[in-house]
Amino acid sequence: EVQLLESGGGLVQPGGSLRLSCAASGFTFSGYAMTWVRQAPGKGLEWVSAINGPGTNTYYADSVKGRFTISRDNSKNTLYLQMNSLRAEDTAVYYCAKRPYGLDYFDYWGQGTLVTVSS
Amino acid sequence: QSALTQPRSVSGSPGQSVTISCTGTSSDVGGYNSVSWYQQHPGKAPKLMIYDVSKRPSGVPDRFSGSKSDNTASLTISGLQAEDEADYYCCSYAGSYIFVFGTGTKVTVL
């Protein structure tokens, strides 16, 4: 059974940093691209960042480019999102999601972790 | 990377059909047959309902169907049931590992 479990969320001050983790199980983690999607309170879903299976290629939404870094450790079956220079508008539930090999959608999602940026 | 446009809300009585539109551009919806739809109940993670415009994952009732014409995709729920009341989001591939989501539609079962 595929499982994705996010962690690392919490309260952080504007300008601060936070690292999210997503522990994966139930599939060959290194073979699949992974994605972070966020949802601000009461708002819609926003694609944030993606990384290919080997971890050699990364992609970002304009809203986080230069501040967020996606990475993965395939030996630990874990996806990461390093978030720096956080702003109030980064407050959201952050979901990790799995993308089927070579296909353009997300078949499994984690339960999400809440990041709150506030002084 | 502008969000795809969806109606804010749609509603219908049990047994009726509702259709949600999702309008993008030739760089996303119109450029790829890679539109997916997600159902989200309050406080829950999104769930895949439709992928590749019109395909249903195993376990999704055939009451859910998808289509696309030019830059607009649509999700139709036929035979509306109480458990279908949720938020629905479309999503389109936009090239180079980038995706764009729709603004979201709240479906209310009257």
Side-chain angles (χ1 to χ4, degrees), chain B:
Chain B
Q1 297 175 1
S2 298
L4 308 176
T5 301
Q6 296 180 231
R8 199 170 188 88
S9 64
V10 298
S11 62
S13 299
Q16 290 186 330
S17 294
V18 295
T19 296
I20 303 168
S21 61
C22 168
T23 301
T25 69
S26 58
S27 296
D28 37 63
V29 175
Y32 304 90
N33 285 321
S34 299
V35 176
S36 51
W37 290 88
Y38 302 86
Q39 177 191 66
Q40 187 180 36
H41 287 107
K44 300 296 186 181
K47 174 188 175 184
L48 176 68
M49 303 302 285
I50 294 287
Y51 65 97
D52 291 353
V53 176
S54 60
K55 298 177 182 177
R56 273 188 316 276
S58 173
V60 172
D62 59 7
R63 302 183 289 103
F64 291 85
S65 62
S67 63
K68 191 188 85 164
S69 177
D70 297 328
N71 296 338
T72 297
S74 298
L75 173 72
T76 297
I77 309 173
S78 304
L80 201 60
Q81 298 186 5
E83 60 261 36
D84 299 334
E85 184 161 298
D87 293 325
Y88 291 83
Y89 294 91
C90 62
C91 180
S92 176
Y93 183 63
S96 301
Y97 275 72
I98 294 171
F99 289 79
V100 59
F101 283 93
T103 50
T105 298
K106 180 176 180 58
V107 171
T108 300
V109 181
L110 301 171

Side-chain angles (χ1 to χ4, degrees), chain A residues 93-106:
Chain A
V93 173
Y94 285 74
Y95 296 100
C96 64
K98 170 184 167 289
R99 183 179 168 186
Y101 182 79
L103 301 175
D104 303 326
Y105 57 92
F106 310 113

Side-chain angles (χ1 to χ4, degrees), chain A residues 1-4 23-34 51-55 72-78 98-101 107-108:
Chain A
E1 179 193 3
V2 172
Q3 289 193 345
L4 299 171
S25 61
F27 64 102
T28 304
F29 182 67
S30 61
Y32 295 89
M34 297 294 294
I51 187 168
N52 66 345
R72 63 194 298 162
D73 186 335
N74 287 340
S75 69
K76 295 182 178 179
N77 290 347
T78 303
K98 170 184 167 289
R99 183 179 168 186
Y101 182 79
D107 54 354
Y108 291 94

